[in-house]
Amino acid sequence: KQGVRLTPMGKILFERCERIFCEFEDLKGSLDQRKQECQGELWIGASDNLCNYLLPSVLSSFLERYPKVQIKLFAGTAPAILNQLRDFQLELGLFYTPITDASLFLEEIANIEFVIVIAKDYSKRLGTKKIILKDLAKVGYLGSRVQDYSKPYPALNLLRKMGLNPEILIEVNQQETQKRLVEAGLGFSVLPRHMVQSELLQGTLIAIGTPKPLNSPLYLARRRNRTLSFTALRWVDTLREGLLHRSG
């Protein structure tokens, strides 16, 4: 019930074994690069909104070029992806939150625009023709689960930077569900523009104007002491191309 702790000798053994296994994985990665062919499995982790909206086109381009690769895609929260990276269950991870972990190498690869969204007909409840930022004090916030993060997650952090401390109505660990709840008229949320663009164009959702664009970095993470496979390097190249094309 009190948990298990390593003895001093056990800790030494664990740390040495971890270095040995890391060296072994690094060796495999170096040899794999020398093959100069994309094949085998590629394990990637990302949040659900990235998996559902941003990555499909990138993966399509990648598999068109390298059809011998099998993609193993894990959709989860930042802590879940982090744990799998630490346990060598993933080779690459994508994060909105800056991860502070000495075992990981973190690189900012894009700047993602977020937008405050609410159902189009919510203005009737507020008795106004157009919802503005200050009206959100009267509306419930639909966000991620605070318990899943050690610090305020990007969307909540963006709101607080604008001086808003929203009343959290519903917390859910998937942004896709947050979007559905917004569409159902339960409140407002802050979501990446790429996952609500269609609804904004169709008019089922509306964007609340902000003094300046709401942007959050997107980070690519990998094990610091592990050489990326040749396949992973080519996927990163394809990812960069896809993000550049989207921003352009």
Side-chain angles (χ1 to χ4, degrees), residues 148-236:
D148 290 334
Y149 300 85
S150 58
K151 297 179 179 180
Y153 52 85
L156 189 56
N157 198 35
L158 289 171
L159 288 174
R160 289 178 177 174
K161 285 183 177 179
M162 290 187 295
L164 296 175
N165 191 20
E167 179 182 348
I168 299 176
L169 179 64
I170 299 177
E171 293 183 346
V172 60
N173 66 330
Q174 289 195 341
Q175 289 181 307
E176 183 66 26
T177 305
Q178 292 171 31
K179 184 175 83 168
R180 301 304 176 192
L181 296 175
V182 173
E183 289 180 310
L186 292 175
F188 79 95
S189 191
V190 182
L191 298 169
R193 180 175 285 277
H194 59 245
M195 72 178 295
V196 294
Q197 187 64 24
S198 295
E199 289 76 14
L200 292 175
L201 291 174
Q202 293 166 7
T204 56
L205 295 180
I206 59 172
I208 308 299
T210 57
K212 59 181 180 180
L214 307 179
N215 295 318
S216 179
L218 179 64
Y219 300 96
L220 179 68
R222 61 176 174 83
R223 293 286 305 199
R224 186 175 295 277
N225 48 10
R226 182 177 182 181
T227 301
L228 286 180
S229 64
F230 182 72
T231 299
L233 289 172
R234 298 289 73 79
W235 185 82
V236 172

Side-chain angles (χ1 to χ4, degrees), residues 2-230:
Q2 283 73 34
V4 178
R5 290 192 296 270
L6 291 172
T7 64
M9 291 183 65
K11 186 176 180 180
I12 293 173
L13 177 63
F14 175 80
E15 292 175 349
R16 294 291 290 272
C17 286
E18 187 175 42
R19 289 202 294 269
I20 291 170
F21 287 131
C22 287
E23 284 294 326
F24 179 67
E25 291 295 330
D26 187 59
L27 175 61
K28 287 200 301 182
S30 297
L31 292 175
D32 185 48
Q33 284 191 33
R34 290 181 176 272
K35 293 179 181 177
Q36 296 296 298
E37 184 179 7
C38 282
Q39 58 182 348
E41 298 177 345
L42 177 60
W43 297 76
I44 307 165
S47 64
D48 67 301
N49 80 74
L50 293 171
C51 290
N52 291 334
Y53 295 93
L54 194 147
L55 291 185
S57 60
V58 174
L59 293 172
S60 178
S61 298
F62 179 77
L63 291 174
E64 186 176 347
R65 299 176 189 175
Y66 311 109
K68 293 184 180 181
V69 178
Q70 294 179 327
I71 302 294
K72 307 293 185 179
L73 188 59
F74 173 77
T77 61
I81 297 168
L82 177 59
N83 287 335
Q84 295 216 11
L85 277 169
R86 287 170 174 164
D87 294 341
F88 296 95
Q89 296 180 56
L90 295 174
E91 188 168 8
L92 293 165
L94 289 168
F95 295 90
Y96 286 114
T97 52
I99 304 300
T100 54
D101 188 306
S103 67
L104 299 179
F105 175 78
L106 208 64
E107 178 187 3
E108 184 178 332
I109 60 168
N111 211 21
I112 303 297
E113 182 183 358
F114 280 64
V115 60
I116 300 175
V117 290
I118 196 169
K120 182 180 180 181
D121 60 355
Y122 208 100
S123 57
K124 296 178 182 177
R125 304 187 198 181
L126 298 175
T128 180
K129 292 183 178 180
K130 182 180 180 181
I131 301 175
I132 59 176
L133 202 58
K134 68 177 183 179
D135 293 326
L136 296 181
K138 310 171 189 176
V139 182
Y141 174 60
L142 313 172
S144 300
R145 298 196 312 173
V146 174
Q147 69 196 66
D148 290 334
Y149 300 85
S150 58
K151 297 179 179 180
Y153 52 85
L156 189 56
N157 198 35
L158 289 171
L159 288 174
R160 289 178 177 174
K161 285 183 177 179
M162 290 187 295
L164 296 175
N165 191 20
E167 179 182 348
I168 299 176
L169 179 64
I170 299 177
E171 293 183 346
V172 60
N173 66 330
Q174 289 195 341
Q175 289 181 307
E176 183 66 26
T177 305
Q178 292 171 31
K179 184 175 83 168
R180 301 304 176 192
L181 296 175
V182 173
E183 289 180 310
L186 292 175
F188 79 95
S189 191
V190 182
L191 298 169
R193 180 175 285 277
H194 59 245
M195 72 178 295
V196 294
Q197 187 64 24
S198 295
E199 289 76 14
L200 292 175
L201 291 174
Q202 293 166 7
T204 56
L205 295 180
I206 59 172
I208 308 299
T210 57
K212 59 181 180 180
L214 307 179
N215 295 318
S216 179
L218 179 64
Y219 300 96
L220 179 68
R222 61 176 174 83
R223 293 286 305 199
R224 186 175 295 277
N225 48 10
R226 182 177 182 181
T227 301
L228 286 180
S229 64
F230 182 72

